Amino acid sequence: MRRNDVSMTDLSGVDNDPKVYHVRKSRMIRLVNWWTVSATYLPYLLLAAVGVLVAQVAQEAVANWDSLAVAYDGYRSALSTSPAVAVGLGWRATALVVAALWWLGHRRTPVYLLDFAVFEPPASWKVTHEQLIEIMRRQKCFTHDSIEFMARILANSGTSQSTAWPPSITRCLQESSPPSDRSVDGARAEAEAVMYDIVAKALAKTHTDPRDIDILVVNCSLFSPTPSLCSMIIHKFGLRSDVRSFNLAGMGCSAGIIAVDLARDLLMARPNSIALVVSTENLTQNLYHGNDRSMLLQNTLFRCGGAAIVLSNKWQDAMRAKFKLLTTIRTQGEGLDAYECVFECEDDLGHRGVRLSKQIVEVAGKAMQDNFTALGPHVLPLSEQIPTIKSYAAKYLCRRLTRVLEKRNPALAAKVPRPRTYIPDFKRGIDHFCIHAGGRGVIDGIEKTLKLSQKQTLPSREALSRYGNTSSSSIWYEMDFILHNQDLKRGQRILQVAFGSGFKCNSAVWLCLNTHK
Ligand SMILES: CC(C)(COP(=O)(O)OP(=O)(O)OC[C@H]1O[C@@H](n2cnc3c(N)ncnc32)[C@H](O)[C@@H]1OP(=O)(O)O)[C@@H](O)C(=O)NCCC(=O)NCCSC(=O)CC(=O)O
């Protein structure tokens, strides 16, 4: 298929029709960025060079073992008499020192994930589709058409009949209660309920004293109060006064990985430290009250959720950690389509909400392609990388040959073969996938693009079904599902991929160290 034959996942269509997703075949082709490959393997090349130099020195020493003293004297006199010998020894020694220093400077301290906890909403927060629609009716602001639209989307959303909304919104189901509480106090109460629960659970699971936490990163896109969510946690749990805290807002559903990435960088700079990462979203102030369809979608997709993750760079924690962080890759999309894809704004009548573009799967696909280009060298086995290099080389040579022959002998040029590009299979480098449960259409699109099996997208579909789109914490519900329900083994790799406003695609790869629940 030529490059122009692009047609991405099509979200339009009639309900219940089996969907045919046209994904361009060249999508996976440019996943491997060979510049990144060289950068990735440079330390190993340098290490190999150091090995060769050490071997040379050792060989000389062995060869002159019997007459080491003579050789030593010989070298001393040679050094003083022959500048060539001195220079030869000099550059080798310098190369050794430079390589050793470079390696030491670029060596990354491992970051371990001790354990994590996800928010399990209380039964009183859970609502059925019918109750959700009843809540909408009781807001007394939606037209019949909007209610019908939300009911239809809800039915196809992939969410179950038991997902959670905060009490500030569901309270209207009780007789004589006002529609919804959109106050800061209501939002703070929701944040407290979610964050305090998960932080307490994560600290208990990892036997971490709150005063041992050195770094705190909290991400929540749509609720950023003063004092910050970080301050709420510090105040509640009595964290140390010198804790380094960071509050990330407005960064959308992919901010969970941004928070981990930031914590990782901070841990690199602070040896022997523990970081607590909290990813959540807040719905109290974010029920859209207008009738613009692209903004009504959020009322049917998003639900309460959160995750708290304890990270450590203490070497002794390697023994008890569940995972080791192998890599994080962050990609920021470019252009207006990407920028406006998930956009907080007011509709024509001034109702605030988040507008979701119909192009979201297309934009997410492009962002993921860029992200995987950088990710490939970190996860693909050599047996996938070598055929890709070979096919690139063959394609390049045949193209050049065709061009040369076209001028001299067009008939011969037509006979030059056109090798097919090898498409690397990411499933060979990754054992389990946590794809952000952004919506059924998003998971369908990624499943098709990456040619994943139903088992591989099950964690995402289950998270969507049981908890809805919980924004940045969705990948942790999926990780939890894999840990408890899939055959996760020590040494396997888990990929978390999240999409979000910006438009961003971020990914993290974890190595499983322990599978105890
Ligand atoms: C919502 C869906 C489950 C609905 O699937 P369906 O199978 O019912 O059918 P469908 O896709 O044809 O859509 C049904 C109807 O909704 C309309 N529709 C769909 N998407 C729309 C949009 N963005 N704006 C306005 N209307 C939209 C279609 O035109 C159609 O209308 P009609 O029938 O009248 O023609 C799916 O479309 C989906 O998963 N979409 C992606 C959701 C999404 O954007 N998630 C990311 C959230 S943001 C996020 O997670 C990150 C972040 O916040 O940072």
Side-chain angles (χ1 to χ4, degrees):
M1 190 178 280
R2 274 170 292 122
R3 240 191 117 186
N4 291 345
D5 295 343
V6 178
S7 77
M8 308 296 295
T9 308
D10 181 8
L11 284 185
S12 62
V14 185
D15 292 349
N16 301 326
D17 266 3
K19 289 227 161 21
V20 177
Y21 292 96
H22 304 284
V23 180
R24 84 175 174 207
K25 285 187 181 164
S26 61
R27 148 89 21 99
M28 307 279 289
I29 292 169
R30 280 171 292 119
L31 291 179
V32 180
N33 178 335
W34 297 107
W35 174 250
T36 319
V37 175
S38 341
T40 306
Y41 291 116
L42 198 61
Y44 300 105
L45 288 177
L46 277 172
L47 211 63
V50 171
V52 170
L53 287 171
V54 170
Q56 278 189 356
V57 171
Q59 193 202 9
E60 274 185 44
V62 169
N64 296 298
W65 192 252
D66 294 335
S67 54
L68 213 55
V70 179
Y72 178 67
D73 290 341
Y75 262 125
R76 277 187 61 187
S77 63
L79 277 181
S80 55
T81 55
S82 163
V85 174
V87 168
L89 253 181
W91 80 256
R92 283 180 204 182
T94 311
L96 260 175
V97 171
V98 168
L101 286 178
W102 192 94
W103 184 72
L104 281 174
H106 286 76
R107 209 167 53 99
R108 291 197 145 184
T109 324
V111 171
Y112 302 107
L113 188 159
L114 300 189
D115 215 330
F116 65 97
V118 290
F119 179 64
E120 199 54 59
S124 60
W125 287 35
K126 294 187 178 172
V127 279
T128 62
H129 287 180
E130 204 182 318
Q131 284 173 316
L132 282 171
I133 294 302
E134 185 54 29
I135 289 170
M136 304 297 181
R137 277 201 196 93
R138 293 190 182 202
Q139 303 306 311
K140 297 191 171 50
C141 58
F142 299 116
T143 61
H144 175 74
D145 187 51
S146 294
I147 297 279
E148 186 272 332
F149 176 74
M150 286 189 281
R152 193 151 49 92
I153 293 289
L154 209 48
N156 279 332
S157 64
T159 60
S160 71
Q161 295 291 341
S162 179
T163 50
W165 263 7
S168 49
I169 297 178
T170 57
R171 68 177 191 169
C172 68
L173 285 174
Q174 288 145 27
E175 291 305 326
S176 75
S177 283
S180 64
D181 171 13
R182 292 199 269 167
S183 66
V184 175
D185 283 348
R188 193 176 277 121
E190 181 192 341
E192 285 173 354
V194 174
M195 293 195 313
Y196 295 171
D197 175 72
I198 50 179
V199 170
K201 280 198 287 195
L203 295 182
K205 274 173 131 179
T206 55
H207 310 290
T208 305
D209 186 318
R211 297 191 70 77
D212 288 340
I213 294 169
D214 304 281
I215 295 158
L216 172 66
V217 184
V218 179
N219 73 272
C220 178
S221 201
L222 295 171
F223 181 52
S224 180
T226 299
S228 67
L229 298 176
C230 280
S231 298
M232 286 164 62
I233 292 174
I234 293 169
H235 176 66
K236 169 76 179 172
F237 291 92
L239 269 58
R240 288 200 320 266
S241 58
D242 66 342
V243 66
R244 309 285 297 269
S245 62
F246 301 85
N247 204 102
L248 308 178
M251 300 196 86
C253 300
S254 67
I257 290 175
I258 296 176
V260 167
D261 183 65
L262 175 62
R264 196 265 317 260
D265 285 353
L266 293 165
L267 283 170
M268 298 284 188
R270 270 181 83 121
N272 222 25
S273 298
I274 288 186
L276 173 66
V277 173
V278 177
S279 295
T280 187
E281 196 43 84
N282 198 286
L283 300 187
T284 295
Q285 296 179 312
N286 293 296
L287 188 71
Y288 169 63
H289 280 71
N291 288 283
D292 183 324
R293 281 191 167 197
S294 60
M295 294 166 86
L296 280 170
L297 218 57
Q298 74 175 83
N299 289 356
T300 65
L301 293 173
F302 292 103
R303 302 289 191 281
C304 291
I309 303 106
V310 181
L311 302 172
S312 164
N313 62 1
K314 299 182 180 185
W315 67 267
Q316 59 273 39
D317 280 336
M319 305 303 288
R320 62 178 183 130
K322 279 212 163 94
F323 301 98
K324 180 177 158 186
L325 183 58
L326 292 185
T327 188
T328 51
I329 305 282
R330 292 179 53 175
T331 310
Q332 174 76 44
E334 288 167 7
L336 199 60
D337 276 357
Y339 178 64
E340 292 186 341
C341 196
V342 179
F343 206 83
E344 187 179 9
C345 57
E346 277 135 6
D347 67 14
D348 295 344
L349 298 174
H351 298 292
R352 193 176 60 85
V354 175
R355 175 172 287 130
L356 297 173
S357 160
K358 279 190 181 182
Q359 311 306 319
I360 194 159
V361 179
E362 187 172 340
V363 171
K366 169 77 182 69
M368 194 180 76
Q369 181 178 323
D370 293 345
N371 189 276
F372 276 37
T373 299
L375 181 67
H378 294 273
V379 295
L380 286 175
L382 274 178
S383 55
E384 279 299 308
Q385 297 192 27
I386 289 167
T388 317
I389 300 173
K390 275 199 211 158
S391 96
Y392 266 99
K395 263 183 99 89
Y396 175 78
L397 289 175
C398 290
R399 213 171 37 233
R400 293 300 298 246
L401 188 63
T402 312
R403 264 192 220 146
V404 171
L405 288 176
E406 266 166 358
K407 288 176 196 151
R408 296 173 191 178
N409 188 343
L412 200 59
K415 287 185 185 159
V416 175
R418 296 193 179 164
R420 294 178 61 184
T421 307
Y422 183 79
I423 300 169
D425 181 1
F426 272 79
K427 298 192 287 297
R428 295 203 53 216
I430 297 292
D431 303 286
H432 299 273
F433 293 80
C434 302
I435 299 154
H436 167 49
R440 208 210 60 241
V442 176
I443 302 172
D444 287 351
I446 305 302
E447 182 181 274
K448 208 81 187 169
T449 306
L450 288 181
K451 298 193 181 82
L452 299 179
S453 67
Q454 286 184 354
K455 189 186 170 206
Q456 283 159 330
T457 51
L458 189 64
S460 305
R461 293 192 194 282
E462 279 294 317
L464 184 67
S465 167
R466 293 183 195 181
Y467 301 99
N469 179 342
T470 56
S471 189
S472 57
S473 62
S474 75
I475 48 173
W476 294 106
Y477 285 98
E478 293 158 17
M479 193 86 142
D480 193 55
F481 178 85
I482 290 170
L483 204 55
H484 289 92
N485 301 287
Q486 293 197 327
D487 194 17
L488 178 64
K489 292 192 178 68
R490 200 164 181 238
Q492 288 190 329
R493 288 195 265 192
I494 303 182
L495 171 68
Q496 292 180 315
V497 191
F499 310 95
S501 57
F503 192 86
K504 293 184 278 294
C505 174
N506 300 318
S507 58
V509 184
W510 300 92
L511 180 75
C512 177
L513 301 178
N514 277 305
T515 52
H516 55 256
K517 308 281 189 284

